Amino acid sequence: QRYGLNGEDVLDNVAYARAYNSDHQQQLLTQATAMMTESRYALIVVDSATALYRTDYQGRGELASRQQHLAVFLRTLQRMADEFGVA
């Protein structure tokens, strides 16, 4: 309303998803990449990217696995930002 935009039209341009575990979070990122090949998006928001890793991987015994999985997620996110010019 502030900028003279229709709220319904603005929300039609927003896609969102909720991840339930770290593997699902990675799958959603892959789906987002596919969406970007079909439509133009300018911004990706990941709220607390590490929270799911803390619950899925607990203790020092799983630290290496957690770090590796998180690194793959962050590398994929960076690659997507570079390829599609999103922030």
Side-chain angles (χ1 to χ4, degrees), residues 48-72:
S48 192
T50 60
L52 294 172
Y53 290 96
R54 283 190 217 115
T55 58
D56 289 351
Y57 299 91
Q58 296 178 356
R60 290 187 181 268
E62 294 184 312
L63 182 61
S65 297
R66 178 178 71 188
Q67 295 300 91
Q68 184 178 14
H69 199 280
L70 180 59
V72 169

Side-chain angles (χ1 to χ4, degrees), residues 3-25:
Y3 296 102
L5 300 172
N6 180 325
E8 294 295 322
D9 292 339
V10 171
L11 290 178
D12 285 341
N13 292 319
V14 175
Y16 67 93
R18 169 175 271 193
Y20 295 102
N21 58 49
S22 56
D23 288 328
H24 187 222
Q25 183 170 291

